[in-house]
Structures are given as C-alpha cells and as structure tokens.
Amino acid sequence: MSNKPFSFDLEAPDFIPSHYDNHIQRNLSNMAGQYQDQEAYEAMVSDEDTLLYQVYELKRPELAGEILHGVSIVHPGKVGNEYFMTKGHYHTVLETAEIYYTLKGQGYMVMETPEGDWAVEELSAGSVLYVPPRWAHRSINIGSEEDLVMFFAYPGDAGHNYATIETQGFRKLVLEIDGQTKIVDNPRWSQPEGI
Ligand code: S6P
Ligand code: ZN
C-alpha cells in the first residue's frame, strides 16, 4: 500500500467517495435476531432480502497511527416499527474513539458502554458526532425517504467486536410509535459480561 498523501471527493447528492477500496453491503438476512419484531423480520426477509446499508472504505494498514475512514449509507425503511439500522459494534480495542460527520439525512446514533451507560445523539446534515473510547455505536435512519449518509474516521488498530451486540442488542431501541420517533428500553438487554 502506498504511503503517499492522497485525496478524494465526496459530492452531493450521493456522497459515494470518488475513490474507495472496499464496498460492504448488508441486507436484512445479515441482521437475524437484531430486530425486536421477529415475525415482521421473518415475513420481510422471506419476501425480499432488502439492502439495509452500505459502507465504502478507504483501506489503510490496521495500525494505531493510521486513521481508517469512509462513508456509510443507511437506507430508509422499517422492520415492523423499528427503523433500518447498522449491526452496531464495540471496537475490539475498547479505548479507541470514532468521529462521524453527517452529510445527508436524519437519524440517531445509539451508544452504550460496558458499564451500562447509554446515550442517543441526533444525526442531521452538517452535524459532527464524537464517539468516545469504550462506547459501542449503531446508526439508525429515521427518515421516511432519504438515505442517512455519514463520513466516519477511527484509529487503524480499533477492530470490530460484533458479538456482544449480536447477543442482546443495544440497551435502547428507536421505534416509530403513533407516527412519532421514540427511544424505548430493549426488553432483551442485560448488562454485558467480560468485554
Ligand atoms: C467502523 C465504523 C463504521 C461502521 C459502519 C457499519 O468502526 O463504525 O464504518 O462499520 O457504520 O456499521 P457496522 O456496525 O455494521 O460495522
Ligand atoms: Zn466503529
């Protein structure tokens, strides 16, 4: 991999990087057990394996001094009354942070720590979110028609730990109830052990 400086463009309306090395696509079938309404999930996935979100990554060596970065795009939609969202993860190296800059759309970042603290921050075009070390994070698109598009950057050695979230989800769910977006307790959640 070259160690020369480089640049690329992020342009409206799509904000797909003009250069990228990796394109990840996650569909409904990649989210088994993540949505609260299992019946709605099964019905949707057997009908069509809808694309939920995409990530465009610029590859860099996975070293502490590097900054991994790219663009994530969460499409609009719901499973039952729960919005389309990313899987969400802790960083394997817990003491690593992340920055998100929202380019387009409306959403929430749901976050929590192994100690049980939680936070939900709004995401809208032009807002910058700092996710401190130790905070697991999941992005959620609450828009009815628009993509939620964000530029992200995090330390090269961070890694991804999906297992804890896959087991029980996040402490808070973001649902649409009577046409309103609500943050509610996740009944499946309990304090994680041994992260
Ligand atoms: C990586 C960073 C993002 C996510 C992306 C998809 O640390 O947080 O690039 O990978 O938003 O989410 P997830 O939870 O499927 O990796
Ligand atoms: Zn991350």
Side-chain angles (χ1 to χ4, degrees):
M1 198 177 293
S2 160
N3 204 31
K4 292 218 170 106
F6 64 93
S7 56
F8 59 90
D9 298 318
L10 295 179
E11 281 177 17
D14 295 334
F15 298 104
I16 295 169
S18 59
H19 165 79
Y20 59 87
D21 303 302
N22 195 25
H23 179 204
I24 299 164
Q25 294 185 292
R26 295 230 199 273
N27 294 59
L28 267 180
S29 59
N30 302 119
M31 297 289 281
Q34 291 300 299
Y35 283 96
Q36 193 191 31
D37 187 339
Q38 279 298 311
E39 250 175 61
Y41 174 81
E42 295 299 340
M44 263 180 97
V45 89
S46 65
D47 182 42
E48 191 188 338
D49 193 10
T50 307
L51 178 63
L52 301 184
Y53 64 99
Q54 311 188 53
V55 185
Y56 294 88
E57 293 178 331
L58 284 291
K59 280 255 181 261
R60 295 298 306 162
E62 295 186 1
L63 303 171
E66 294 277 353
I67 299 174
L68 301 182
H69 58 287
V71 168
S72 73
I73 302 175
V74 185
H75 297 303
K78 281 180 287 177
V79 176
N81 62 357
E82 193 171 6
Y83 300 100
F84 284 1
M85 60 193 184
T86 59
K87 285 169 80 116
H89 56 267
Y90 282 96
H91 289 164
T92 312
V93 179
L94 256 185
E95 304 298 335
T96 52
E98 184 154 348
I99 283 181
Y100 282 89
Y101 176 53
T102 303
L103 297 161
K104 177 167 134 179
Q106 286 287 335
Y108 285 103
M109 189 72 78
V110 175
M111 294 165 281
E112 66 190 42
T113 69
E115 292 75 33
D117 287 342
W118 65 272
V120 178
E121 287 285 323
E122 277 186 49
L123 305 166
S124 61
S127 69
V128 177
L129 170 68
Y130 186 74
V131 181
R134 305 186 74 75
W135 287 78
H137 39 285
R138 158 180 283 169
S139 35
I140 296 172
N141 183 352
I142 64 163
S144 51
E145 281 165 23
E146 205 175 28
D147 286 339
L148 173 67
V149 185
M150 292 183 288
F151 176 79
F152 60 82
Y154 62 101
D157 63 336
H160 295 92
N161 163 13
Y162 290 102
T164 308
I165 301 299
E166 273 168 4
T167 313
Q168 58 184 30
F170 278 77
R171 186 167 188 164
K172 297 288 170 179
L173 305 176
V174 182
L175 307 178
E176 188 177 280
I177 300 170
D178 300 330
Q180 308 259 49
T181 302
K182 303 269 189 211
I183 297 161
V184 303
D185 288 336
N186 173 5
R188 279 198 306 141
W189 187 87
S190 61
Q191 184 96 16
E193 283 169 28
I195 294 178

